[in-house]
Amino acid sequence: MIPDNTETDILTFSLPEQAAPAVIDAAAGTVSIDVPAGTDVTGLAPDLITLSRRATIAPDTGVVQDFTLPVTYTVTAQDGVTTRDWTVSVNLLPSSIAHITGFAFAEEAIPAVIDDINFLVDV
C-alpha cells in the first residue's frame, strides 16, 4: 500500500487581476502577487490554485478575500493531518501614468498651461 502524501505546497496561485505570475517562496511559505495600480484589493478571488498531489486548501479557489492585509491560506496534505499555513500578499503596482500637475517659474507672468493629451507644458 502506498502511504498518503504529506506534501503541503502551493505550486501556482493566480488572480484574474494580476499583472505578472505570482512569486511563490516555498521555504518561507509565502505567495506575492502584483496587481495594477487602482485595483480594488478588498474583494479578490483566486481563479487557480495548484497544490501538492491530492492536497486541499482553505479558503478555496473562487472564495473572495480582502487582500488589504496578507491573507492566510491553510494547505492540508492528502493524509488529512499534515497542514501548513501560507501567507498570500497582494501588492499594488505604482501607476505607470505620470502627470504634471503644476509647473512654474518665479518670473512667469501667468500660470503655465498643462496639456495632458499632447504632453505639453506652455509657460
Side-chain angles (χ1 to χ4, degrees):
M1 174 178 232
I2 299 173
D4 286 342
N5 187 6
T6 58
E7 294 175 5
T8 55
D9 291 326
I10 292 178
L11 306 174
T12 64
F13 194 108
S14 67
L15 299 168
E17 298 83 0
Q18 73 189 53
V23 176
I24 299 172
D25 183 340
T30 61
V31 178
S32 180
I33 300 174
D34 292 336
V35 296
T39 302
D40 180 5
V41 299
T42 64
L44 301 177
D47 60 351
L48 177 66
I49 305 172
T50 307
L51 307 170
S52 299
R53 183 176 57 87
R54 296 193 181 175
T56 59
I57 193 165
D60 204 354
T61 302
V63 176
V64 174
Q65 297 294 318
D66 180 351
F67 284 99
T68 303
L69 297 174
V71 175
T72 300
Y73 282 78
T74 303
V75 177
T76 302
Q78 179 188 15
D79 68 3
V81 177
T82 307
T83 63
R84 181 175 187 191
D85 288 340
W86 286 75
T87 303
V88 179
S89 300
V90 172
N91 313 298
L92 287 171
L93 292 173
S95 175
S96 61
I97 300 173
H99 292 279
I100 296 176
T101 58
F103 194 93
F105 286 110
E107 300 84 15
E108 74 183 9
I110 59 173
V113 176
I114 300 170
D115 179 351
D116 272 340
I117 305 295
N118 298 305
F119 305 107
L120 299 172
V121 177
D122 187 14
V123 182

